[in-house]
Amino acid sequence: VVPADPRAARLVLYTDSSMHGAGATLLDTHNCTVRHWRHRYTGADLRRDITTLEARAVEMALEHFADDLRGHDVACFIDNTSTLSGLITGKSPSFELNAVIIRVRKLAGNCNSLMAAYVNTHVNEAADSNSRFLPAPSDSVVWSLNKAAFLAASSPLGGFLCAAAPSAASARPAPLS
C-alpha cells in the first residue's frame, strides 16, 4: 500500500554512495529524530560502478535500519537517476545492478510501503557526508534540507515515483501501478 500523499510517510531515508563508502540518514517525522549510518567499502564493492554502489547504499541502509523501518511508510531519496530508475522499474541492463535491485525490493517488504524519489545531490548533504566519512551536518540543517527535498519532489516537475513494497516471500519485483 502506498500512501496517497508521500508527505504522510513517517520515516524519510536519504542514501548516498561514493568511492569511499555508503551512507544514509534516517529521519523520523513523528519523533523528530535523526540517525546517521556509514559504511566503508572494501573488496568487491571497490570494483563496482557508481550506479551499483548507489543501489548497494539503499540495500545496506534498509538492512541497517530494518527494525526502525518495519511496518512503516518510508520515503527514500536517492541522488542517482539510473539507480532510481532501476529500483522503480525492477530492472537494469546491468546484471550486477539487477542482483542488487532484487535484494532491495525483497528488503522493501519489511516496510508497509517504500516510495523512492530523486533528490538533488546538494540537498542530499547528510547522506553524502556519511558516504564520504565527513562530519554530518547539524540536525537543524538536516531538517531544513528535508523540507527542500519534499518541496522539489512534490512540485509538478519533481513528482514522487512510487511502488508498493513486494511481499517478503517474493524475490521478483512487484508490478508498478
Side-chain angles (χ1 to χ4, degrees), residues 48 56 59 98-108:
R48 291 188 168 120
R56 285 276 296 139
E59 176 186 17
N98 276 330
V100 179
I101 289 169
I102 289 169
R103 293 193 304 266
V104 165
R105 292 180 69 117
K106 272 179 135 177
L107 289 165

Side-chain angles (χ1 to χ4, degrees), residues 10-17 22-29 33-38 54 57-62 65 69 74-79 114-115 117-131 137 141-153 160:
R10 174 179 176 168
L11 301 177
V12 183
L13 181 65
Y14 291 86
T15 63
D16 189 58
S17 190
T25 299
L26 179 67
L27 286 75
D28 184 326
T29 61
T33 57
V34 177
R35 294 186 49 216
H36 299 279
W37 166 82
R38 55 182 59 174
E54 292 278 358
V58 175
E59 176 186 17
M60 290 186 290
L62 290 175
F65 293 119
L69 303 176
V74 180
C76 181
F77 285 95
I78 304 164
D79 66 3
L114 180 66
M115 298 159 282
Y118 173 75
V119 63
N120 182 294
T121 193
H122 301 293
V123 178
N124 201 22
E125 183 181 334
D128 187 68
S129 63
N130 289 324
S131 75
V141 168
V142 171
W143 286 108
S144 176
L145 292 169
N146 182 56
K147 181 177 179 183
F150 267 91
L151 288 174
F160 271 82

